[in-house]
Amino acid sequence: MPDMMLEMACPGPVCGVDEAGRGPWAGPVSAGAVILDPNRLPEGLDDSKKLTAKARAALELDIKDKALAWGVGLASVEEIENLNILQATGLAMRRAVEALAITPAFALVDGNYRFKLPCEIKTVVKGDAISSSIAAASILAKVARDRLMTEMDSVYPGYGFAAHKGYHAQVHVEALRTLGPCAIHRRSWEPVRLLLIERGELIAD
């Protein structure tokens, strides 16, 4: 289970940073940043992928209530297409950190890539399983993105966004073949691009 050992070893205030949505075919990439109060830690913090949607929703409220500061940032489909997914992820992370009510001295960032953030950085591979702050950030990022993709289901009906959140699913593949891509599809993504070619809407390189 994640703990606060890494946070305690860094000069404070320390925020955990994580993303959600790097892999989907549609929708933005999101990031969370959280500065936890070591005296008021939410119970049950863990890697967001290991938690049920119900547990994540409850923890989102608990994190926002007990954290010293929290922020969520998004990078749009247009930014993903223009910058590439890696740089767009960094942009979402920077927006999340800049949204914090307290300026952090240090950021623990999930993964092994050193994004440019407005503070010192330590990357932590599988950080959401090690650091409570990163786990909290992963929950905020995922819940925020899942909520947005559920809303997009009514804006762009027929794709099943509420169920699969823009990731690969057979219903998503069939909808793309039938309806073509909508405004929130990542058209440069290989599966989407190949379906566009299949529909005759794009010429193969």
Side-chain angles (χ1 to χ4, degrees), residues 32-44:
V34 179
I35 301 175
L36 289 174
D37 181 346
N39 298 313
R40 296 183 73 221
L41 293 178
E43 290 186 20

Side-chain angles (χ1 to χ4, degrees), residues 78-144:
E78 292 76 18
E79 288 168 329
I80 292 169
E81 301 285 64
N82 291 333
L83 297 172
N84 75 41
I85 186 60
L86 187 65
Q87 296 308 316
T89 299
L91 179 60
M93 286 184 171
R94 188 164 75 246
R95 287 169 174 164
V97 172
E98 289 173 347
L100 292 167
I102 297 170
T103 302
F106 215 91
L108 299 171
V109 180
D110 186 58
N112 59 7
Y113 191 86
R114 293 183 62 82
F115 295 101
K116 291 181 180 178
L117 299 179
C119 59
E120 291 294 317
I121 297 165
K122 178 180 177 63
T123 58
V124 187
V125 175
K126 299 188 186 304
D128 41 15
I130 299 169
S131 157
S132 293
S133 299
I134 295 176
S138 79
I139 291 164
L140 294 196
K142 180 157 179 57
V143 173

Side-chain angles (χ1 to χ4, degrees), residues 34-37 40-42 57-70 140:
V34 179
I35 301 175
L36 289 174
D37 181 346
R40 296 183 73 221
L41 293 178
L59 274 164
E60 180 199 31
L61 296 175
D62 206 19
I63 291 163
K64 290 180 176 181
D65 177 53
K66 292 179 177 176
L68 296 174
W70 61 270
L140 294 196

